[in-house]
Amino acid sequence: MALQLNSITFDHDPTQSATSALNIRRNKDFEVPIPEYDVTQPRAPTQQSAAYAIDATRGQAVIVRCVFQRAPADGPQWHVRATGGGVLGRLDPQAVTFTGAAVVVTVDMPLVHRRFAAVGRHLPVWHWEYRPSGSSSWQPLVATFHCIYLLQSVPAQPWTQTFADRHNPWTDLLDHSCVIADGTTQEMDAAIAHVKAINASYGLRYDIVSGAPRYGFVLTGDAFDLTDWIAFVLNGNPPGSPIFCQGTGEAYLDFEIVNCYDCAASLTLMGKSVGARLDYYFHEPFGFLNFVIPIGRGQCNNPFYGCTGNDPIRGVDDATRTRFGNHAYTKLAGQNNFDACMKQWLSWLSEIILSVIMFLLWLIILIVTFGTVNRFDLLARAQGWLVNLQQPAYEQITIDTNTPAEAAAAGGSPVVQVLDFRVT
Amino acid sequence: MEKILRVRIAPVPVSTEEVSEDLVLSPGAPGPLAGFQVDYEAVTLIETPLTVRRQMHLFDSSETLRLVLALCLSGPTAAREYLIRISGFQREPSPDAIQELDLRPGAAGFCWSWDADGSSAYAAFARHNLVASLEGRLSTVRAIARAIDDSVRGVKTIPTMQAGPGTNPQRLGPVAPGARLDLPTTDIPNTQLFFVGSGGAVNRDPAQAGRYYYRAGLQRGLQKLEAFRVGRGLLPVRTPIEIKIA
């Protein structure tokens, strides 16, 4: 072959994320190799990965850095281009000029036709072509395969863009979070998508004995066990034992049992990984519950009914029922609440009525704003999802304060916690 | 809840000693866990507070037991904090349900049952810089906590300030910013290796199982790492490493 594409580097400048891909890694143990494409090290497309922040790259001259090689006897002037490319777009023809006796040259190729519009995980292919200067005939060079993650913005702490840091965003997580939030352009929509996924897509169930966490984060100073969360929950490979509530009708794999700390911490980390500004809040005391649906369970106002209790529902205002001593949930940009740990319980009649009201409200807002404001959260609310709720509304839905005893058990307020995850 | 637990353990003075001998509690072998078999076991290193944690799920013919043993390398005060921290649940026992554990002087602990018949209970204690938490039947967690505490009392200790990573670091480098530096440390069977450090990241080598390398960050200067090798117990072999990025 006359011309060879040696490498493509997407993360060519580890100090900024406007014209370069983000600093990412596979997980706590393994880096994403750079250059992402290296002709000497054939890898699966999913291991030739790069991530971009849509906000940070908007209007910027994003480039990929390519290294080409010629045979010594070949001429110095060439042109290269690439077709295809999916969200990366095609690469316009560009001169490749070797100076003097050099056989290797580095060329920056701008991504002028990129389509960084919405969160997603993509597997684009570039079909590279070349022609010697003076020739009008393009020859096939090589096809390169890539895995590109598009995030709404640069993931905030505990994720970091400091180069060579194990808190760089993990592709093992982006493989899930970018798919969950696929197509979203607003952080609220990404947050709602994650609430629904965590609550309903992984067979997780609330710990009805003690409300104990399985994945390590409670308060500032703790670290969420993200590695286990990815392996056991997102990838669906929990250990076959131990068994929670073994020998009873409530027997399930222990690592599929969670509490609200687990839900809030995972929601925060996963949401942040795609650029949604979610934060973890701890609320103590919380109190007696109105009728809710804890994750993976049914209608309930007595959350700790035990392995054999079989009484998740007790009389309204029954003071003997169990309660949440504390609770954890998330807020988006420090404002409204998003809770993946439970849903509002709605009777079939109230669900129909709420659905009609919310649909009309959603439609009116959409029409009045000429389609620019899509209050998708209203439709989710009609299904009982606890999303985009102001604090008073959230507490009104979830906390029962009807009687003096119930009111006395409540009264806490949410306090933001500094979330971290284990990288050792 | 946190305040109640702090009040509970406050009368026990904080130890000035920490464990200097490895404590191996093997299910099936003679000792506190003799009657049990392992269902699940995992060892992790927690950075805050710096702690080696061994989590075990055990079973015998009639019951299951969830056990966490944690050695706080920052000392007994950090162990007290860790004891409180790991005893947090969304469900809270009523204050009068919290009982003393039948431990010998020097250990701070508590237990409670989630239900009236004692079939689901929690116990936790700290002695020196070791913390244990147990979940299972009330009578079992009380008995096993006592037996584990007796084992802890039998291991050697040293004054707190004498422990630490050691004073003769392994010096490596120099390495250029962003470059790779292979580490001499490798995996050894039946041990687990953890790294804590700054100024870059320790990574596994995908091409050579069991090998590690350091990816230097962009900041020049002397960076400190520490390798923690944990065997069948809790006490790690600590190897301080200094890497010059230049």
Side-chain angles (χ1 to χ4, degrees):
Chain A
M1 180 174 288
L3 190 70
Q4 177 172 286
L5 173 59
N6 280 0
S7 66
I8 308 170
T9 305
F10 292 81
D11 184 13
H12 53 83
D13 185 347
T15 64
Q16 56 90 358
S17 48
T19 61
S20 172
L22 299 170
N23 297 328
I24 57 174
R25 54 184 296 119
R26 204 167 110 203
N27 51 40
K28 74 179 178 64
D29 290 322
F30 293 100
E31 294 185 298
V32 164
I34 295 176
E36 291 84 352
Y37 170 81
D38 185 338
V39 72
T40 66
Q41 296 179 33
R43 292 186 296 259
T46 51
Q47 294 178 342
Q48 301 184 145
S49 50
Y52 289 96
I54 297 166
D55 284 2
T57 55
R58 186 171 293 125
Q60 302 289 326
V62 182
I63 59 150
V64 292
R65 185 152 290 158
C66 304
V67 175
F68 295 94
Q69 184 173 346
R70 64 165 175 166
D74 286 328
Q77 300 281 351
W78 305 78
H79 282 83
V80 295
R81 70 179 184 184
T83 58
V87 292
L88 294 169
R90 70 180 187 275
L91 298 176
D92 288 337
Q94 176 131 346
V96 175
T97 305
F98 295 88
T99 307
V103 294
V104 172
V105 66
T106 299
V107 177
D108 288 345
M109 306 206 51
L111 300 182
V112 293
H113 301 293
R114 68 183 186 271
R115 294 188 296 278
F116 292 176
V119 171
R121 177 181 183 272
H122 305 272
L123 297 169
V125 182
W126 267 326
H127 298 280
W128 293 80
E129 296 174 320
Y130 74 99
R131 62 178 171 83
S133 195
S135 168
S136 60
S137 172
W138 289 98
Q139 304 294 320
L141 176 58
V142 67
T144 60
F145 300 80
H146 311 280
C147 181
I148 301 298
Y149 304 94
L150 296 182
L151 321 177
Q152 285 175 358
S153 55
V154 178
Q157 284 189 325
W159 302 109
T160 181
Q161 278 303 294
T162 301
F163 178 72
D165 191 307
R166 290 202 266 194
H167 285 84
N168 291 156
W170 295 3
T171 60
D172 280 358
L173 185 66
L174 296 177
D175 283 337
H176 297 276
S177 58
C178 284
V179 172
I180 289 168
D182 182 59
T184 59
T185 57
Q186 305 295 322
E187 57 184 345
M188 184 176 73
D189 296 342
I192 292 172
H194 276 93
V195 166
K196 290 182 175 180
I198 291 167
N199 185 279
S201 296
Y202 300 104
L204 299 171
R205 288 178 172 81
Y206 189 70
D207 182 342
I208 51 174
V209 173
S210 61
R214 296 295 187 284
Y215 294 93
F217 187 85
V218 183
L219 298 169
T220 298
D222 295 327
F224 185 70
D225 207 331
L226 184 58
T227 300
D228 282 355
W229 178 262
I230 293 169
F232 299 168
V233 175
L234 300 183
N235 290 342
N237 296 313
S241 59
I243 304 294
F244 175 76
C245 284
Q246 192 157 21
T248 73
E250 296 288 352
Y252 298 106
L253 293 178
D254 193 78
F255 282 100
E256 290 181 345
I257 300 296
V258 293
N259 81 342
C260 296
Y261 315 156
D262 297 321
C263 295
S266 59
L267 175 59
T268 303
L269 273 178
M270 294 178 75
K272 280 190 169 183
S273 75
V274 296
R277 293 168 296 165
L278 289 164
D279 281 304
Y280 178 108
Y281 282 74
F282 188 78
H283 184 141
E284 184 180 39
F286 196 73
F288 289 93
L289 298 177
N290 286 320
F291 285 124
V292 295
I293 304 173
I295 183 169
R297 305 289 179 181
Q299 182 187 0
C300 175
N301 68 348
N302 175 39
F304 305 113
Y305 52 94
C307 300
T308 56
N310 201 27
D311 61 343
I313 303 169
R314 288 195 184 172
V316 175
D317 301 331
D318 180 344
T320 67
R321 72 194 200 269
T322 57
R323 63 179 190 263
F324 276 4
N326 54 68
H327 184 37
Y329 45 86
T330 71
K331 286 179 180 284
L332 183 63
Q335 298 293 316
N336 290 354
N337 293 5
F338 293 75
D339 189 344
C341 189
M342 53 187 183
K343 292 175 71 177
Q344 179 182 12
W345 180 81
L346 297 165
S347 68
W348 65 269
L349 184 60
S350 54
E351 187 165 349
I352 288 172
I353 294 169
L354 197 60
S355 294
V356 171
I357 293 170
M358 292 299 193
F359 176 78
L360 290 174
L361 204 55
W362 168 77
L363 194 61
I364 290 166
I365 293 171
L366 199 67
I367 292 168
V368 167
T369 62
F370 300 105
T372 57
V373 177
N374 184 349
R375 288 293 305 277
F376 178 60
D377 59 305
L378 297 174
L379 304 179
R381 284 281 305 107
Q383 297 170 318
W385 295 104
L386 298 174
V387 295
N388 201 30
L389 283 162
Q390 292 183 347
Q391 189 66 32
Y394 175 79
E395 291 184 14
Q396 191 176 19
I397 289 169
T398 56
I399 305 175
D400 186 354
T401 55
N402 274 347
T403 67
E406 289 168 340
S413 57
V415 178
V416 68
Q417 304 296 315
V418 179
L419 179 64
D420 197 1
F421 57 95
R422 192 170 63 79
V423 295
T424 53
Chain B
M1 181 65 189
E2 183 185 327
K3 288 176 188 166
I4 294 168
L5 296 182
R6 285 187 192 283
V7 168
R8 277 271 168 183
I9 63 174
V12 181
V14 178
S15 170
T16 57
E17 299 278 308
E18 61 185 65
V19 169
S20 63
E21 177 188 5
D22 205 4
L23 176 66
V24 180
L25 295 176
S26 297
L33 308 178
F36 288 94
Q37 296 180 60
V38 179
D39 223 0
Y40 172 82
E41 185 168 12
V43 179
T44 49
L45 181 76
I46 297 164
E47 286 190 80
T48 311
L50 192 59
T51 299
V52 175
R53 183 185 65 179
R54 184 174 290 275
Q55 182 183 359
M56 287 189 270
H57 292 212
L58 310 168
F59 69 98
D60 68 5
S61 56
S62 63
E63 62 182 316
T64 60
L65 177 69
R66 189 191 303 252
L67 172 64
V68 173
L69 296 169
L71 189 68
C72 291
L73 304 177
S74 312
T77 302
R80 285 285 184 100
E81 288 301 311
Y82 192 70
L83 171 68
I84 299 293
R85 179 163 288 198
I86 63 169
S87 301
F89 300 85
Q90 274 196 274
R91 183 180 190 180
E92 291 184 346
S94 64
D96 52 355
I98 302 173
Q99 306 169 19
E100 299 291 336
L101 272 173
D102 181 24
L103 305 175
R104 297 185 195 281
F110 38 72
C111 70
W112 61 78
S113 178
W114 296 115
D115 48 25
D117 65 0
S119 60
S120 295
Y122 177 79
F125 71 91
R127 178 181 290 279
H128 306 310
N129 60 327
L130 189 137
V131 177
S133 76
L134 307 94
E135 290 174 74
R137 195 179 290 164
L138 181 61
S139 56
T140 303
V141 298
R142 291 184 70 99
I144 300 290
R146 166 71 180 244
I148 291 173
D149 185 46
D150 285 344
S151 297
V152 179
R153 287 174 62 243
V155 302
K156 293 176 186 165
T157 60
I158 55 172
T160 293
M161 297 308 289
Q162 287 183 18
T167 53
N168 295 315
Q170 200 171 7
R171 291 191 168 82
L172 302 174
V175 60
R180 166 183 169 144
L181 176 71
D182 287 331
L183 297 176
T185 322
T186 56
D187 282 344
I188 296 175
N190 302 318
T191 69
Q192 293 196 52
L193 193 55
F194 305 96
F195 293 91
V196 173
S198 61
V202 175
N203 304 288
R204 286 182 177 273
D205 188 337
Q208 283 184 286
R211 302 289 305 192
Y212 296 82
Y213 66 92
Y214 179 76
R215 174 72 63 192
L218 302 178
Q219 202 77 26
R220 293 172 200 276
L222 195 64
Q223 304 297 338
K224 293 185 177 179
L225 298 184
E226 193 171 352
F228 299 79
R229 189 182 296 282
V230 183
R232 291 170 56 232
L234 291 168
L235 190 67
V237 174
R238 301 172 68 167
T239 308
I241 302 167
E242 287 183 358
I243 296 175
K244 188 175 184 183
I245 302 177

